[in-house]
Amino acid sequence: DCPRWLRDGGRLAAVTYAPNVDEMPERIDGWLAGEPCEATVFSGNLLPAEEFSPVASKVELKCYQDALREVGVRTLSEAITFVQLSGQSSARKAKLVGPRPGLFDDKPFLESLAR
C-alpha cells in the first residue's frame, strides 16, 4: 500500500540495517504494487544474523538472535534505499546494488548519493 503514502513525484530515502537485503527489491516491488518508479537499494556487506549484536548483554543477545531466526532473518546489511514514484518512468522493478564494503563509512560515496 505504499502508493497511499507516496504520491507521484514523491521520494523516500531510508537508511537501515536491512534484513535479508537480497530480498529487498522484491519486497519494495510488492509494496509499490506495479506503480512506475525508480527504486535502488545500495547494500553493504552481508552479516550473518547470528553475528549481529546490537545489544548490551548475553541474555539480550540470545533473545534477539532467537527472534531473528524465528522470523526468517538470515543476514543483515547496511542499506540505503531510494524510491521515487513517477508517472513519467517506465521502470517498475527495484534494483539492488552491492555489496559495497563499509557502506556507512564511505564518505565520498555517501556524498555522491546526496547530490
Side-chain angles (χ1 to χ4, degrees):
D1 287 332
C2 182
R4 292 185 318 156
W5 299 97
L6 192 60
R7 300 287 180 215
D8 188 27
R11 296 179 184 172
L12 166 81
V15 178
T16 187
Y17 281 95
N20 304 332
V21 74
D22 55 314
E23 299 169 358
M24 202 157 172
E26 184 179 319
R27 291 194 304 264
I28 291 170
D29 292 341
W31 298 330
L32 294 172
E35 291 286 325
C37 71
E38 300 287 333
T40 304
V41 178
F42 297 93
S43 77
N45 286 336
L46 299 179
L47 181 66
E50 58 273 4
E51 293 178 24
F52 190 71
S53 180
V55 296
S57 75
K58 288 183 181 183
V59 172
E60 283 180 294
L61 180 59
K62 176 158 181 16
C63 291
Y64 190 84
Q65 290 175 340
D66 287 349
L68 289 177
R69 200 171 14 265
E70 202 172 290
V71 297
V73 175
R74 299 176 315 281
T75 62
L76 288 120
S77 173
E78 296 175 342
I80 300 171
T81 303
F82 295 105
V83 177
Q84 181 172 5
L85 288 189
S86 172
Q88 308 301 317
S89 175
S90 61
R92 295 191 188 278
K93 295 284 185 190
K95 63 183 176 185
L96 178 65
V97 177
R100 185 176 192 88
L103 177 64
F104 288 173
D105 296 320
D106 189 343
K107 187 176 176 182
F109 179 71
L110 296 174
E111 289 173 343
S112 75
L113 294 178
R115 291 188 197 118

